[in-house]
Amino acid sequence: MSTPVILGFIPVAIAFAIMASSSGLTAFESVAMSVFVFAGASQMMSVGMIAEGAGYLAIVVATFIMNFRHFIMSTCVFERMQGATPAQKMLLSFGVTDESFAIFTTTEREKCNKWYFFGVFLGTYLSWILGTFIGTFATAIFPASVSGSLGISLYAMFIALLVPKVKTNWRLLIVVVLTAFINFGLQNLFEPSWSLIVSTLVGAGIGMFIVRDEDESEVAE
Amino acid sequence: MNILLLIFLMMLVTYIPRMLPSQITDKLRIGKKFRKYLELIPYTAMAALIFPGVISVDANLWYIGVVGALVAVLLALVKKIPVVLVVVAAVLADMALYYFI
């Protein structure tokens, strides 16, 4: 099931490259950012900030805040991963993104070894770079309506991963809906990226009381 | 502005939080309760990633994100549908919407 997810990554990368080139980045700089940073949402944010003339420090701090969620995601990924050496983990950790995390942590535990994660990492990484590359030409090829519509692709991917899991587990559905509204409520209190982290942690904490243990083992399958 | 320096700094602040847990999870003894907590995080994280961000896919037209998301939810309810089909359908729905407005 990971191959289709990986293909879903390309449109998001195209959308990033289109944004980057409209912010004045060269094709080389856009591709370099995808190769070295490899974090979709924060890359989009950074080119948006560049367009607004923001300073380095502000962009780097915003990137740190935004990507700090990967600290939590990485904890979940490596808790599931069997049989990797510290050096291999150091390499694989570069591949922890919202998407690889979502794929890996919704796959049954038995399949969660280092090679499976490496495959997901390689697939998402290469398609992210390829998509960025395509996107640097895309402004010339695609009309604005296409590039505008690509913005939904990231959300559609999360929905496609989440819906099958909550469809058969109404307690988990409650937790998911509750978390979404907590995040919505916190938007005025925190920066959106902090609000995301807080609501993820609080939502899972509430979920401890709502989701039954037996449900949870079903969830992991 | 030296974009390459910026990219390097962004790489550091992105990679370090990803890397640190990979080096410590082995040394932690993870109990049943904490494991359950970690198992729930993917679902709450995805929920928070989707909402309310999806409303501002287009900063000026809130319904662009809502329609795309509804199409995605309806299709994702179909058993064993590939993720990429859901994504493509949502993009096409938004394209159609842009065409008609």
Side-chain angles (χ1 to χ4, degrees), chain A residues 67-153:
Chain A
N67 289 340
F68 193 72
R69 66 181 185 280
H70 293 143
F71 183 83
I72 300 156
M73 295 182 181
S74 182
T75 308
C76 296
V77 164
F78 288 102
E79 191 269 322
R80 284 180 92 85
M81 192 185 297
Q82 309 300 322
T85 66
Q88 289 169 335
K89 286 179 178 178
M90 196 167 268
L91 173 77
L92 291 174
S93 64
F94 185 76
V96 176
T97 58
D98 298 340
E99 295 76 19
S100 66
F101 155 82
I103 297 166
F104 195 70
T105 53
T106 51
T107 303
E108 51 271 39
R109 245 172 211 281
E110 300 76 62
K111 276 172 79 182
C112 288
N113 60 35
K114 60 183 175 188
W115 293 112
Y116 183 76
F117 188 78
F118 184 65
V120 175
F121 171 17
L122 212 62
T124 47
Y125 191 46
L126 294 179
S127 52
W128 183 241
I129 295 168
L130 177 71
T132 308
F133 192 70
I134 296 170
T136 56
F137 301 103
T139 12
I141 308 165
F142 297 145
S145 67
V146 178
S147 26
S149 309
L150 290 173
I152 194 70
S153 48

Coordinates of all heavy atoms in Angstrom, one line a residue, chain A residues 67-153:
Chain A
N67 N 8.8 21.9 12.6 CA 9.2 20.5 12.4 C 9.5 19.8 13.7 O 9.9 18.6 13.7 CB 10.5 20.4 11.5 CG 10.2 20.8 10.1 OD1 9.0 20.7 9.7 ND2 11.2 21.2 9.3
F68 N 9.3 20.5 14.8 CA 9.5 19.8 16.1 C 8.5 18.6 16.3 O 8.8 17.7 17.1 CB 9.4 20.8 17.3 CG 9.9 20.2 18.6 CD1 11.2 20.0 18.7 CD2 9.0 19.8 19.5 CE1 11.7 19.4 19.9 CE2 9.5 19.2 20.7 CZ 10.8 19.0 20.9
R69 N 7.4 18.6 15.6 CA 6.5 17.5 15.7 C 7.2 16.2 15.3 O 6.8 15.1 15.7 CB 5.2 17.7 14.8 CG 5.5 17.8 13.3 CD 4.2 18.1 12.5 NE 4.5 18.0 11.1 CZ 5.0 19.0 10.4 NH1 5.3 20.1 11.0 NH2 5.1 18.8 9.1
H70 N 8.2 16.3 14.4 CA 8.9 15.1 14.0 C 9.6 14.4 15.1 O 9.9 13.2 15.1 CB 9.9 15.4 12.9 CG 9.2 15.8 11.6 ND1 9.7 16.8 10.8 CD2 8.0 15.4 11.0 CE1 8.9 16.9 9.7 NE2 7.9 16.1 9.9
F71 N 9.9 15.2 16.2 CA 10.5 14.6 17.4 C 9.5 13.5 18.0 O 10.0 12.4 18.3 CB 10.7 15.7 18.4 CG 11.4 15.2 19.7 CD1 12.8 15.0 19.7 CD2 10.7 14.8 20.8 CE1 13.4 14.6 20.9 CE2 11.3 14.4 22.0 CZ 12.6 14.2 22.0
I72 N 8.3 13.9 18.0 CA 7.2 12.9 18.5 C 7.0 11.8 17.5 O 7.0 10.6 17.9 CB 5.9 13.6 18.8 CG1 6.1 14.8 19.8 CG2 4.8 12.7 19.2 CD1 5.1 15.9 19.7
M73 N 7.0 12.1 16.3 CA 6.7 11.1 15.2 C 7.9 10.1 15.2 O 7.7 8.9 15.1 CB 6.5 11.8 13.9 CG 5.3 12.6 13.8 SD 5.0 13.4 12.2 CE 3.5 14.3 12.5
S74 N 9.1 10.7 15.3 CA 10.3 9.8 15.3 C 10.3 8.9 16.5 O 10.7 7.7 16.3 CB 11.5 10.7 15.3 OG 12.7 10.0 15.2
T75 N 9.9 9.3 17.6 CA 9.8 8.4 18.8 C 8.8 7.3 18.5 O 9.2 6.1 18.8 CB 9.2 9.2 20.0 OG1 10.0 10.4 20.2 CG2 9.3 8.4 21.3
C76 N 7.7 7.5 17.9 CA 6.8 6.5 17.5 C 7.4 5.5 16.5 O 7.2 4.3 16.6 CB 5.5 7.0 16.9 SG 4.5 8.0 18.1
V77 N 8.0 6.1 15.5 CA 8.6 5.2 14.4 C 9.7 4.3 15.0 O 9.6 3.1 14.7 CB 9.2 6.1 13.3 CG1 10.1 5.3 12.4 CG2 8.1 6.8 12.5
F78 N 10.6 4.8 15.8 CA 11.7 4.0 16.3 C 11.3 3.1 17.4 O 12.0 2.1 17.6 CB 12.9 4.9 16.6 CG 13.6 5.4 15.3 CD1 13.3 6.7 14.9 CD2 14.3 4.6 14.5 CE1 13.9 7.2 13.8 CE2 14.8 5.1 13.3 CZ 14.6 6.4 13.0
E79 N 10.2 3.4 18.0 CA 9.7 2.5 19.0 C 9.1 1.2 18.3 O 9.2 0.1 18.8 CB 8.6 3.1 19.8 CG 8.1 2.4 21.1 CD 6.9 1.4 20.8 OE1 6.0 1.8 20.0 OE2 6.9 0.3 21.3
R80 N 8.6 1.4 17.1 CA 8.1 0.2 16.3 C 9.1 -0.5 15.6 O 8.9 -1.7 15.2 CB 7.1 0.7 15.3 CG 5.8 1.1 15.8 CD 4.9 1.6 14.7 NE 4.1 0.5 14.1 CZ 2.9 0.2 14.6 NH1 2.4 0.8 15.6 NH2 2.2 -0.8 14.0
M81 N 10.3 0.1 15.3 CA 11.2 -0.5 14.4 C 12.1 -1.5 15.1 O 12.7 -1.3 16.1 CB 12.1 0.6 13.8 CG 12.9 0.1 12.6 SD 14.0 1.3 12.0 CE 12.9 2.5 11.4
Q82 N 12.2 -2.7 14.4 CA 13.0 -3.8 15.0 C 14.3 -3.9 14.3 O 14.4 -3.7 13.1 CB 12.3 -5.1 14.9 CG 10.8 -5.1 15.4 CD 10.7 -4.7 16.9 OE1 11.6 -5.1 17.7 NE2 9.7 -4.0 17.3
G83 N 15.4 -4.2 15.0 CA 16.6 -4.7 14.5 C 17.4 -3.7 13.6 O 18.0 -4.0 12.6
A84 N 17.5 -2.4 14.1 CA 18.4 -1.5 13.4 C 19.5 -1.0 14.3 O 19.2 -0.9 15.5 CB 17.6 -0.3 12.9
T85 N 20.7 -0.9 13.8 CA 21.8 -0.4 14.7 C 21.7 1.1 14.8 O 21.0 1.8 14.0 CB 23.1 -0.7 14.0 OG1 23.2 0.1 12.8 CG2 23.3 -2.2 13.6
P86 N 22.3 1.7 15.9 CA 22.2 3.1 16.0 C 22.7 3.9 14.8 O 22.0 4.9 14.5 CB 23.2 3.4 17.2 CG 23.2 2.1 18.0 CD 23.0 1.0 17.0
A87 N 23.7 3.4 14.1 CA 24.1 4.2 12.9 C 23.0 4.1 11.8 O 22.8 5.1 11.1 CB 25.4 3.6 12.4
Q88 N 22.4 2.9 11.6 CA 21.3 2.8 10.6 C 20.2 3.7 11.0 O 19.6 4.4 10.1 CB 20.9 1.4 10.5 CG 21.9 0.5 9.9 CD 21.5 -1.0 10.0 OE1 20.8 -1.4 11.0 NE2 22.0 -1.8 9.1
K89 N 19.9 3.8 12.3 CA 18.8 4.6 12.8 C 19.1 6.1 12.5 O 18.2 6.9 12.2 CB 18.5 4.4 14.3 CG 17.9 3.1 14.6 CD 17.7 3.0 16.1 CE 16.9 1.7 16.4 NZ 16.8 1.6 17.9
M90 N 20.4 6.4 12.6 CA 20.7 7.8 12.4 C 20.5 8.2 11.0 O 20.0 9.3 10.7 CB 22.2 8.0 12.8 CG 22.6 9.5 12.9 SD 24.2 9.6 13.7 CE 23.8 9.8 15.4
L91 N 20.7 7.3 10.1 CA 20.5 7.5 8.6 C 19.0 7.5 8.4 O 18.4 8.5 7.7 CB 21.2 6.5 7.8 CG 20.8 6.5 6.3 CD1 21.6 7.6 5.6 CD2 21.1 5.1 5.6
L92 N 18.3 6.5 8.9 CA 16.8 6.4 8.6 C 16.0 7.5 9.2 O 15.0 7.9 8.7 CB 16.3 5.1 9.2 CG 16.8 3.8 8.5 CD1 16.3 2.6 9.2 CD2 16.3 3.7 7.1
S93 N 16.5 8.1 10.3 CA 15.8 9.2 10.9 C 15.6 10.4 10.0 O 14.7 11.2 10.2 CB 16.4 9.6 12.2 OG 17.7 10.2 12.0
F94 N 16.5 10.6 9.0 CA 16.3 11.7 8.1 C 15.0 11.5 7.3 O 14.5 12.5 6.8 CB 17.5 11.7 7.1 CG 17.5 12.9 6.1 CD1 17.8 14.1 6.6 CD2 17.1 12.7 4.8 CE1 17.8 15.2 5.7 CE2 17.1 13.8 3.9 CZ 17.4 15.0 4.4
G95 N 14.6 10.2 7.2 CA 13.3 10.0 6.4 C 12.0 10.1 7.2 O 11.0 9.7 6.7
V96 N 12.1 10.5 8.4 CA 10.9 10.7 9.2 C 10.1 11.9 8.8 O 10.6 13.0 9.0 CB 11.1 10.7 10.7 CG1 9.8 11.0 11.5 CG2 11.8 9.4 11.2
T97 N 9.0 11.7 8.1 CA 8.2 12.9 7.7 C 6.7 12.5 8.1 O 6.5 11.4 8.5 CB 8.2 13.0 6.1 OG1 7.7 11.8 5.5 CG2 9.6 13.3 5.6
D98 N 5.8 13.5 7.9 CA 4.4 13.2 8.3 C 4.0 12.0 7.5 O 3.2 11.1 8.1 CB 3.5 14.4 7.8 CG 3.9 15.7 8.5 OD1 4.5 15.6 9.6 OD2 3.5 16.8 8.0
E99 N 4.4 11.9 6.3 CA 3.9 10.8 5.4 C 4.5 9.4 5.8 O 3.8 8.4 5.9 CB 4.2 11.1 3.9 CG 3.4 12.3 3.4 CD 4.0 13.6 3.9 OE1 5.2 13.6 4.3 OE2 3.3 14.6 3.9
S100 N 5.8 9.4 5.9 CA 6.5 8.1 6.2 C 6.0 7.6 7.6 O 5.8 6.4 7.8 CB 8.0 8.2 6.2 OG 8.5 9.0 7.2
F101 N 5.9 8.6 8.5 CA 5.3 8.3 9.9 C 3.9 7.7 9.8 O 3.6 6.7 10.4 CB 5.4 9.6 10.7 CG 4.4 9.6 11.8 CD1 4.6 9.0 13.0 CD2 3.2 10.3 11.7 CE1 3.7 9.1 14.1 CE2 2.3 10.4 12.7 CZ 2.5 9.8 13.9
A102 N 3.1 8.4 9.0 CA 1.7 7.9 8.8 C 1.6 6.5 8.2 O 0.9 5.6 8.7 CB 0.9 8.9 8.0
I103 N 2.5 6.2 7.2 CA 2.5 4.9 6.6 C 3.0 3.8 7.6 O 2.4 2.8 7.9 CB 3.4 4.9 5.4 CG1 2.8 5.8 4.3 CG2 3.5 3.4 4.8 CD1 3.8 6.1 3.2
F104 N 4.1 4.1 8.2 CA 4.8 3.2 9.1 C 4.0 2.8 10.3 O 3.9 1.7 10.7 CB 6.2 3.7 9.4 CG 7.1 2.7 10.0 CD1 7.7 1.7 9.2 CD2 7.5 2.7 11.3 CE1 8.5 0.7 9.7 CE2 8.4 1.7 11.9 CZ 8.9 0.8 11.0
T105 N 3.4 3.8 10.9 CA 2.8 3.6 12.2 C 1.3 3.0 12.0 O 0.7 2.7 13.0 CB 2.7 4.8 13.1 OG1 2.1 5.9 12.3 CG2 4.1 5.2 13.6
T106 N 0.8 3.0 10.8 CA -0.5 2.4 10.5 C -0.3 1.0 9.9 O -1.3 0.4 9.5 CB -1.4 3.3 9.7 OG1 -0.7 3.7 8.5 CG2 -1.8 4.5 10.4
T107 N 0.9 0.5 9.7 CA 1.2 -0.8 9.2 C 1.3 -1.8 10.4 O 1.8 -1.4 11.5 CB 2.5 -0.8 8.4 OG1 2.4 0.2 7.4 CG2 2.8 -2.2 7.8
E108 N 0.9 -3.0 10.2 CA 1.0 -4.0 11.3 C 2.4 -4.1 11.8 O 3.3 -4.1 11.0 CB 0.3 -5.3 10.9 CG 0.8 -6.0 9.7 CD 0.0 -5.5 8.4 OE1 -0.4 -4.3 8.4 OE2 -0.2 -6.3 7.6
R109 N 2.5 -4.3 13.1 CA 3.8 -4.3 13.8 C 4.8 -5.3 13.2 O 6.0 -5.0 13.1 CB 3.7 -4.6 15.3 CG 4.0 -3.5 16.2 CD 3.7 -3.8 17.6 NE 3.4 -2.5 18.3 CZ 4.3 -1.6 18.7 NH1 5.6 -1.9 18.6 NH2 4.0 -0.5 19.3
E110 N 4.3 -6.5 12.7 CA 5.2 -7.5 12.3 C 6.0 -7.0 11.1 O 7.2 -7.5 10.8 CB 4.5 -8.8 11.9 CG 3.7 -9.4 13.0 CD 2.4 -8.7 13.3 OE1 1.5 -8.6 12.5 OE2 2.2 -8.1 14.5
K111 N 5.4 -6.2 10.2 CA 6.1 -5.7 9.0 C 7.0 -4.6 9.3 O 7.8 -4.2 8.4 CB 5.0 -5.3 8.0 CG 4.5 -6.5 7.2 CD 3.3 -6.1 6.3 CE 3.7 -5.3 5.1 NZ 2.5 -4.9 4.3
C112 N 7.0 -4.0 10.5 CA 7.7 -2.8 10.7 C 9.2 -3.0 11.0 O 9.7 -2.7 12.1 CB 7.1 -2.0 11.9 SG 5.5 -1.3 11.5
N113 N 9.9 -3.4 10.0 CA 11.4 -3.5 10.2 C 12.1 -2.4 9.5 O 11.5 -1.6 8.8 CB 11.9 -4.9 9.8 CG 11.6 -5.2 8.3 OD1 11.6 -4.3 7.5 ND2 11.3 -6.4 8.0
K114 N 13.4 -2.4 9.6 CA 14.2 -1.3 9.1 C 14.1 -1.2 7.5 O 14.1 -0.2 7.0 CB 15.7 -1.4 9.5 CG 16.4 -2.7 9.1 CD 17.8 -2.7 9.7 CE 18.4 -4.1 9.3 NZ 19.7 -4.3 10.0
W115 N 14.0 -2.4 6.9 CA 14.0 -2.4 5.4 C 12.7 -1.8 4.9 O 12.6 -1.1 3.9 CB 14.1 -3.9 4.9 CG 15.5 -4.4 5.2 CD1 15.9 -5.4 6.0 CD2 16.8 -3.8 4.7 NE1 17.2 -5.5 6.1 CE2 17.8 -4.6 5.2 CE3 17.1 -2.8 3.8 CZ2 19.1 -4.3 4.9 CZ3 18.4 -2.5 3.5 CH2 19.4 -3.3 4.1
Y116 N 11.6 -2.2 5.6 CA 10.3 -1.6 5.2 C 10.3 -0.1 5.3 O 9.9 0.6 4.4 CB 9.2 -2.2 6.1 CG 7.8 -1.7 5.7 CD1 7.2 -2.2 4.6 CD2 7.1 -0.7 6.5 CE1 5.9 -1.7 4.2 CE2 5.9 -0.2 6.1 CZ 5.3 -0.8 5.0 OH 4.0 -0.3 4.6
F117 N 10.9 0.4 6.4 CA 11.0 1.9 6.6 C 11.9 2.5 5.6 O 11.7 3.5 5.0 CB 11.4 2.3 8.0 CG 11.3 3.7 8.2 CD1 10.1 4.3 8.5 CD2 12.5 4.6 8.1 CE1 10.0 5.7 8.7 CE2 12.3 5.9 8.3 CZ 11.1 6.5 8.6
F118 N 13.0 1.8 5.3 CA 14.0 2.2 4.3 C 13.3 2.4 2.9 O 13.5 3.4 2.2 CB 15.2 1.3 4.2 CG 16.3 1.8 3.3 CD1 17.0 2.9 3.5 CD2 16.6 1.0 2.1 CE1 18.0 3.4 2.7 CE2 17.6 1.5 1.3 CZ 18.3 2.6 1.5
G119 N 12.5 1.4 2.6 CA 11.7 1.5 1.3 C 10.8 2.7 1.3 O 10.8 3.4 0.2
V120 N 10.1 2.9 2.4 CA 9.2 4.0 2.4 C 10.0 5.4 2.3 O 9.6 6.3 1.6 CB 8.3 4.0 3.7 CG1 7.5 5.3 3.8 CG2 7.5 2.8 3.8
F121 N 11.1 5.4 3.0 CA 12.0 6.6 3.0 C 12.5 6.8 1.6 O 12.3 8.0 1.1 CB 13.2 6.3 4.0 CG 14.3 7.3 3.9 CD1 14.1 8.5 3.4 CD2 15.5 6.9 4.5 CE1 15.2 9.5 3.4 CE2 16.6 7.8 4.5 CZ 16.4 9.1 3.9
L122 N 13.0 5.8 1.0 CA 13.6 6.0 -0.4 C 12.5 6.4 -1.4 O 12.7 7.4 -2.2 CB 14.2 4.7 -0.8 CG 15.4 4.8 -1.8 CD1 16.5 5.5 -1.0 CD2 15.8 3.4 -2.2
G123 N 11.3 5.8 -1.3 CA 10.2 6.1 -2.2 C 9.8 7.5 -2.0 O 9.6 8.3 -3.0
T124 N 9.5 7.9 -0.8 CA 9.0 9.3 -0.5 C 10.1 10.3 -0.9 O 9.8 11.4 -1.5 CB 8.6 9.5 0.9 OG1 9.6 9.0 1.8 CG2 7.3 8.8 1.2
Y125 N 11.4 10.0 -0.6 CA 12.5 11.0 -0.8 C 12.7 11.2 -2.3 O 12.7 12.3 -2.7 CB 13.7 10.4 -0.1 CG 14.9 11.4 -0.1 CD1 14.7 12.7 0.4 CD2 16.2 11.0 -0.4 CE1 15.8 13.5 0.5 CE2 17.3 11.8 -0.3 CZ 17.1 13.1 0.1 OH 18.1 14.0 0.2
L126 N 12.7 10.1 -3.0 CA 13.0 10.2 -4.5 C 11.8 10.9 -5.2 O 12.0 11.8 -6.0 CB 13.3 8.9 -5.1 CG 14.6 8.2 -4.7 CD1 14.8 6.9 -5.3 CD2 15.8 9.1 -4.9
S127 N 10.6 10.6 -4.7 CA 9.4 11.2 -5.4 C 9.3 12.7 -5.0 O 8.9 13.5 -5.8 CB 8.1 10.5 -5.2 OG 7.9 10.3 -3.8
W128 N 9.8 13.0 -3.8 CA 9.8 14.4 -3.3 C 10.8 15.2 -4.2 O 10.5 16.3 -4.7 CB 10.2 14.5 -1.9 CG 10.2 15.9 -1.3 CD1 11.2 16.5 -0.7 CD2 9.1 16.7 -1.1 NE1 10.8 17.8 -0.3 CE2 9.5 17.9 -0.5 CE3 7.7 16.6 -1.5 CZ2 8.7 19.0 -0.2 CZ3 6.9 17.7 -1.2 CH2 7.3 18.9 -0.6
I129 N 11.9 14.7 -4.4 CA 12.9 15.4 -5.3 C 12.5 15.4 -6.7 O 12.5 16.5 -7.4 CB 14.3 14.6 -5.2 CG1 14.8 14.7 -3.7 CG2 15.3 15.2 -6.1 CD1 16.0 13.9 -3.4
L130 N 12.0 14.3 -7.2 CA 11.5 14.2 -8.6 C 10.3 15.3 -8.8 O 10.3 16.0 -9.8 CB 11.0 12.8 -9.0 CG 10.4 12.7 -10.4 CD1 11.5 12.8 -11.4 CD2 9.6 11.3 -10.5
G131 N 9.4 15.3 -7.9 CA 8.3 16.2 -8.0 C 8.7 17.7 -8.0 O 8.2 18.5 -8.7
T132 N 9.7 18.0 -7.1 CA 10.3 19.3 -7.1 C 10.9 19.7 -8.4 O 10.7 20.8 -8.9 CB 11.4 19.4 -6.0 OG1 10.9 18.9 -4.8 CG2 11.8 20.9 -5.8
F133 N 11.6 18.7 -9.0 CA 12.3 18.9 -10.3 C 11.2 19.2 -11.4 O 11.3 20.2 -12.1 CB 13.1 17.7 -10.6 CG 14.0 17.8 -11.8 CD1 15.1 18.6 -11.7 CD2 13.7 17.2 -13.0 CE1 16.0 18.8 -12.7 CE2 14.6 17.4 -14.1 CZ 15.7 18.2 -13.9
I134 N 10.1 18.4 -11.4 CA 9.1 18.6 -12.4 C 8.4 20.0 -12.1 O 8.2 20.7 -13.1 CB 8.0 17.5 -12.2 CG1 8.5 16.1 -12.6 CG2 6.8 17.8 -13.1 CD1 7.6 15.0 -12.3
G135 N 8.2 20.3 -10.8 CA 7.5 21.5 -10.5 C 8.3 22.8 -10.9 O 7.7 23.8 -11.2
T136 N 9.6 22.7 -11.0 CA 10.4 23.9 -11.5 C 10.1 24.2 -12.9 O 10.3 25.3 -13.3 CB 11.9 23.7 -11.3 OG1 12.3 22.5 -12.0 CG2 12.3 23.5 -9.8
F137 N 9.6 23.2 -13.7 CA 9.2 23.5 -15.1 C 7.7 23.8 -15.1 O 7.2 24.3 -16.1 CB 9.4 22.3 -16.0 CG 10.9 21.9 -16.0 CD1 11.3 20.8 -15.4 CD2 11.8 22.6 -16.8 CE1 12.6 20.4 -15.4 CE2 13.1 22.3 -16.8 CZ 13.5 21.2 -16.1
A138 N 7.0 23.5 -14.0 CA 5.5 23.4 -14.1 C 4.8 24.7 -14.3 O 3.8 24.8 -15.0 CB 5.0 22.7 -12.9
T139 N 5.4 25.8 -13.8 CA 4.8 27.1 -13.9 C 4.6 27.4 -15.4 O 3.6 28.1 -15.8 CB 5.6 28.2 -13.3 OG1 6.9 27.7 -13.0 CG2 5.0 28.7 -12.0
A140 N 5.5 27.0 -16.2 CA 5.4 27.2 -17.7 C 4.3 26.3 -18.3 O 3.7 26.7 -19.3 CB 6.7 27.0 -18.4
I141 N 4.1 25.1 -17.7 CA 3.3 24.1 -18.3 C 1.8 24.2 -17.9 O 0.9 24.2 -18.6 CB 3.8 22.6 -18.1 CG1 5.3 22.5 -18.4 CG2 3.0 21.6 -18.8 CD1 5.9 21.3 -17.9
F142 N 1.7 24.2 -16.5 CA 0.3 24.1 -15.9 C -0.3 25.5 -15.8 O 0.3 26.5 -15.4 CB 0.4 23.5 -14.5 CG 0.9 22.1 -14.5 CD1 1.6 21.6 -13.5 CD2 0.5 21.2 -15.6 CE1 2.1 20.3 -13.4 CE2 1.0 19.9 -15.5 CZ 1.8 19.4 -14.5
P143 N -1.6 25.6 -16.1 CA -2.3 26.8 -15.7 C -2.5 26.9 -14.2 O -2.3 26.0 -13.5 CB -3.7 26.6 -16.4 CG -3.9 25.1 -16.5 CD -2.5 24.5 -16.6
A144 N -2.8 28.1 -13.7 CA -2.9 28.4 -12.3 C -3.9 27.5 -11.6 O -3.7 27.2 -10.4 CB -3.2 29.9 -12.1
S145 N -5.0 27.1 -12.3 CA -6.0 26.3 -11.6 C -5.4 25.0 -11.2 O -5.8 24.5 -10.2 CB -7.2 26.1 -12.6 OG -6.8 25.3 -13.7
V146 N -4.5 24.4 -12.0 CA -3.9 23.1 -11.6 C -3.0 23.3 -10.4 O -3.2 22.6 -9.4 CB -3.1 22.5 -12.8 CG1 -2.4 21.2 -12.4 CG2 -4.0 22.3 -14.0
S147 N -2.1 24.3 -10.4 CA -1.2 24.5 -9.3 C -2.0 24.8 -8.0 O -1.7 24.3 -6.9 CB -0.2 25.5 -9.5 OG -0.6 26.4 -10.5
G148 N -3.1 25.6 -8.1 CA -4.0 25.9 -7.0 C -4.6 24.6 -6.4 O -4.7 24.4 -5.2
S149 N -5.0 23.7 -7.3 CA -5.7 22.5 -6.9 C -4.8 21.5 -6.2 O -5.3 20.6 -5.4 CB -6.4 21.8 -8.1 OG -7.2 22.8 -8.8
L150 N -3.5 21.6 -6.5 CA -2.6 20.6 -5.9 C -2.5 20.8 -4.4 O -2.1 19.9 -3.7 CB -1.2 20.8 -6.5 CG -1.1 20.3 -8.0 CD1 0.3 20.7 -8.5 CD2 -1.3 18.8 -8.1
G151 N -2.9 21.9 -3.9 CA -2.8 22.2 -2.4 C -3.6 21.2 -1.6 O -3.3 20.9 -0.5
I152 N -4.6 20.6 -2.2 CA -5.5 19.7 -1.5 C -4.8 18.3 -1.3 O -5.2 17.5 -0.5 CB -6.9 19.5 -2.2 CG1 -7.9 18.9 -1.2 CG2 -6.8 18.8 -3.5 CD1 -8.4 19.7 -0.1
S153 N -3.8 18.0 -2.1 CA -3.3 16.6 -2.2 C -2.8 16.1 -0.9 O -3.0 14.9 -0.6 CB -2.3 16.5 -3.4 OG -1.3 17.5 -3.3

